[in-house]
Amino acid sequence: MNRFFTKAAEYLKSLSFRTGAIVAVICAICYAVSFAQMLLPISTTAKGVLWFIFFGLAKTCQYTAILILGKAGVQRLRAALRPRKSTPDNP
């Protein structure tokens, strides 16, 4: 079993930065859906099941994106999302 997880982690690390960024966006969408579904006019049981499914998907995507991106990729993604400071030659 340990060999399976090692091979899976190595495969995920071999994927591109772009793939990791796409998985991170899917993660954000799953988080949004997991909480937005509480506004639907359905039973409490159905809401709980939907929350369990989408929150689980969000967590799975989150850890998968972290494995794909790695430390350098996460820093690169944060830098891309950070607001740019204006400089005198670039307003």
Side-chain angles (χ1 to χ4, degrees):
M1 191 66 156
N2 191 19
R3 198 172 113 215
F4 170 76
F5 288 123
T6 306
K7 282 189 160 208
E10 289 300 318
Y11 172 73
L12 290 173
K13 289 178 186 176
S14 70
L15 296 174
S16 70
F17 173 81
R18 185 176 184 173
T19 304
I22 291 169
V23 173
V25 169
I26 293 170
C27 168
I29 292 169
C30 286
Y31 272 121
V33 171
S34 74
F35 290 105
Q37 56 81 26
M38 294 294 177
L39 300 173
L40 295 175
I42 55 178
S43 71
T44 306
T45 305
K47 287 180 183 182
V49 169
L50 286 173
W51 182 84
F52 178 80
I53 290 169
F54 283 109
F55 194 77
L57 281 172
K59 280 304 204 187
T60 303
C61 289
Q62 177 184 0
Y63 292 125
T64 303
I66 290 171
L67 268 174
I68 293 171
L69 294 172
K71 182 179 177 183
V74 170
Q75 289 174 347
R76 184 175 160 191
L77 190 60
R78 282 185 180 168
L81 296 175
R82 200 172 294 141
R84 307 265 193 264
K85 293 182 180 178
S86 61
T87 59
D89 35 316
N90 185 16

